[in-house]
Amino acid sequence: MFDPRNECMPADQREDLQLKRLRSMVNYCLTHVPFYTDLLHKSGITSGNDLTRLSDIHLIPFTTKEDLQRLYPAGFLAVPMNQIARIHASSGTAGHPLAGYYTKTDLETWRKAAARVLALNGVTKDDIFQISVGYGMFTGALGFHQGAEEIGCTVIPASTGNTERQLTLMRDFGVTAITATPSYAVFLSEKIREAGIRNHLKLKRVLLGAERCSPSMRQTIERNLGVETADNYGMTEFFGPGFSGECACRCGLHVTEDLFYPEIVDSSTGDPLPDGQTGELVVTSLLREAMPLLRYRTRDLTSLDHSPCACGRTTVRVQAPMGRTDDMFVFKGVNIYPSQIEYAIGQVPGLSPHYRVTLSRNAMCQDTALLEIERDPDEIHPDQELIQELDHRLHEVIFARLNIRLMRPGELPRFQGKSRRVDDQRYSE
């Protein structure tokens, strides 16, 4: 445990700390961020003391991705640019990228938060830690790099790609822990199995992040490598790695609650939802200088769990996001999330986690959906049996039928970064 004081703080003390920091952050935003000065005043909030309890956070209007993009690049900056020590940004798959700004104090706070998540995932000072996610504007690599150095382990900044070199580094330097996107971790595990070098590696754990990891992907990695995997979840808008991580109990991801206040709301109405109910995650910065955010709608669908965890940590746990409000697609009037497809695939032994959905329109302007899915290389059942079983499972989950095409192992693209599973061609010219 990296930070026992904050990770095991009694609930009433944590709530007092969160309320104190929330009030301070509201005052800071009122003074330093014109967007919030206007937004809060219009809502009748002129001071952090207007919030008498944590539940009063609902008096603060939401901040959205559209707000950040509209005021890109520096509309949410709370300090002059000469106080900014580093800038990161998301990949910007829709509209402007989402910029993340950091003062020196922010970088130190982030460093310790990332170290806490790595410790949650089982990383210690004795590990040799290979970082196999891309360095650059993406927060994942540098976030974990600085967190690993804070813990005191040996860091290998391998970045992504050049898979043969990745395997060479793992073997030559006795790598014991590695972080990668789930898609790339699956790919690496397949290459290790094909090369027959699993027993020549010292790998003990694989840390996953940056994209949703389906149960079948996780099972494939663990089966191929004979190691434990651990999940983590973060976002550029809130430092990056360091927001939450999974302990050995594997019952959710512990949130660094002294730095972030999480809520779950109904994505349609914005109303708060109770523990255990799935909705949209909303997050508030409690301790950030450069770019504080109040009640930011992440668009990620998940739930919260305040029940006790056997690991001894008292922080709330967020479930690994099941999808996003903006990655849903509509097919024949049915709302479908990729996570639902992944769940159905995971119910059919003999299928790999590699799949692709292509949406198109035929000559009669009817929507069609093709699901291409690879067979597991060791599967012996006929194609038709696997297709029939998957069709049955899909219909149970999404109440719609997709055309299914079984592919040979290795036929579908592999991804070194975030995977792209759905190709919607219906609106292209």
Side-chain angles (χ1 to χ4, degrees):
M1 197 175 294
F2 180 79
D3 185 0
R5 178 180 175 276
N6 280 305
E7 294 180 68
C8 299
M9 185 180 291
D12 57 342
Q13 291 183 26
R14 178 175 293 111
E15 289 176 5
D16 289 342
L17 175 64
Q18 288 175 321
L19 181 57
K20 178 182 177 181
R21 288 185 171 176
L22 175 62
R23 287 170 171 166
S24 178
M25 183 57 69
V26 167
N27 286 333
Y28 184 73
C29 289
L30 280 166
T31 305
H32 293 86
V33 185
F35 171 85
Y36 283 125
T37 305
D38 182 59
L39 186 73
L40 293 170
H41 280 166
K42 286 181 177 178
S43 302
I45 299 174
T46 58
S47 166
N49 291 331
D50 291 336
L51 308 178
T52 60
R53 60 183 72 86
L54 272 176
S55 59
D56 286 342
I57 196 171
H58 300 298
L59 300 175
I60 301 173
F62 294 116
T63 306
T64 67
K65 180 178 180 179
E66 288 75 21
D67 293 326
L68 268 62
Q69 291 180 327
R70 178 170 52 85
L71 297 178
Y72 174 87
F76 277 79
L77 263 187
V79 300
M81 185 61 76
N82 62 11
Q83 293 183 26
I84 297 299
R86 192 191 299 169
I87 299 174
H88 282 279
S90 70
S91 56
T93 53
H96 288 302
L98 299 181
Y101 293 88
Y102 307 79
T103 64
K104 289 183 178 179
T105 300
D106 287 334
L107 289 178
E108 184 60 27
T109 302
W110 183 19
R111 180 183 182 93
K112 294 183 183 302
R116 192 188 307 185
V117 166
L118 288 173
L120 268 163
N121 289 169
V123 176
T124 73
K125 63 181 180 62
D126 298 319
D127 275 305
I128 299 174
F129 183 47
Q130 182 165 320
I131 299 177
S132 295
V133 293
Y135 280 74
M137 299 303 287
F138 174 56
T139 60
L142 282 170
F144 273 145
H145 189 129
Q146 62 193 14
E149 289 181 337
E150 181 72 17
I151 287 176
C153 59
T154 302
V155 181
I156 299 177
S159 195
T160 191
N162 199 340
T163 300
E164 291 303 318
R165 185 167 181 269
Q166 298 273 354
L167 302 185
T168 298
L169 292 171
M170 293 169 67
R171 181 176 58 244
D172 291 353
F173 294 110
V175 170
T176 57
I178 187 171
T179 184
T181 64
S183 301
Y184 192 47
V186 169
F187 183 56
L188 282 172
S189 76
E190 292 174 338
K191 291 299 182 182
I192 289 170
R193 185 195 61 200
E194 292 168 5
I197 61 173
R198 169 175 152 176
N199 294 333
H200 299 284
L201 302 178
K202 296 183 179 180
L203 197 62
K204 296 178 182 178
R205 58 185 58 86
V206 177
L207 280 60
L208 306 170
E211 67 179 8
R212 183 177 57 249
C213 182
S214 68
S216 61
M217 294 175 78
R218 197 167 190 172
Q219 291 164 8
T220 297
I221 297 164
E222 294 182 342
R223 182 178 67 246
N224 287 343
L225 300 181
V227 301
E228 295 180 352
T229 60
D231 204 358
N232 81 91
Y233 165 73
M235 63 208 90
T236 300
E237 299 92 314
F238 296 97
F239 289 149
F243 176 80
S244 64
E246 185 177 39
C247 70
C249 298
R250 295 173 73 154
C251 57
L253 285 67
H254 289 271
V255 177
T256 49
E257 280 194 276
D258 50 306
L259 303 180
F260 309 106
Y261 185 76
E263 308 169 65
I264 298 295
V265 303
D266 184 298
S267 60
S268 299
T269 66
D271 294 334
L273 296 176
D275 265 22
Q277 194 163 335
T278 298
E280 182 179 356
L281 177 66
V282 174
V283 181
T284 295
S285 306
L286 295 178
L287 204 66
R288 189 167 186 182
E289 284 187 341
M291 187 180 163
L293 294 176
L294 302 177
R295 300 200 77 206
Y296 179 72
R297 298 188 69 153
T298 67
R299 298 185 177 179
D300 288 318
L301 296 170
T302 181
S303 61
L304 295 179
D305 185 355
H306 284 86
S307 66
C309 183
C311 76
R313 295 174 177 86
T314 58
T315 48
V316 67
R317 300 186 303 283
V318 60
Q319 298 305 308
M322 61 163 286
R324 290 177 55 81
T325 59
D326 55 0
D327 73 357
M328 178 193 77
F329 63 90
V330 180
F331 177 66
K332 294 186 176 180
V334 179
N335 296 343
I336 300 174
Y337 291 96
S339 59
Q340 295 174 302
I341 295 174
E342 291 161 6
Y343 174 80
I345 290 171
Q347 301 302 301
V348 184
L351 297 179
S352 86
H354 299 293
Y355 77 94
R356 177 173 60 195
V357 176
T358 303
L359 300 164
S360 59
R361 284 201 170 125
N362 60 25
M364 300 177 65
C365 294
Q366 297 172 325
D367 284 0
T368 64
L370 172 65
L371 169 60
E372 297 170 294
I373 174 76
E374 289 185 9
R375 293 176 56 100
D376 189 285
D378 300 320
E379 180 55 40
I380 60 174
H381 285 86
D383 286 4
Q384 195 56 37
E385 286 188 18
L386 296 175
I387 290 173
Q388 288 176 351
E389 180 63 16
L390 179 57
D391 177 70
H392 172 68
R393 296 291 183 179
L394 282 169
H395 193 258
E396 284 185 330
V397 174
I398 64 176
F399 307 106
R401 286 201 153 86
L402 313 181
N403 296 320
I404 300 172
R405 178 185 297 163
L406 220 55
M407 312 291 282
R408 295 189 302 275
E411 277 196 277
L412 290 176
R414 300 299 192 259
F415 301 95
Q416 297 178 2
K418 293 186 179 182
S419 60
R420 297 178 297 278
R421 303 293 190 188
V422 179
D423 180 14
D424 193 342
Q425 302 175 356
R426 291 175 293 179
Y427 309 104
S428 60
E429 295 183 358

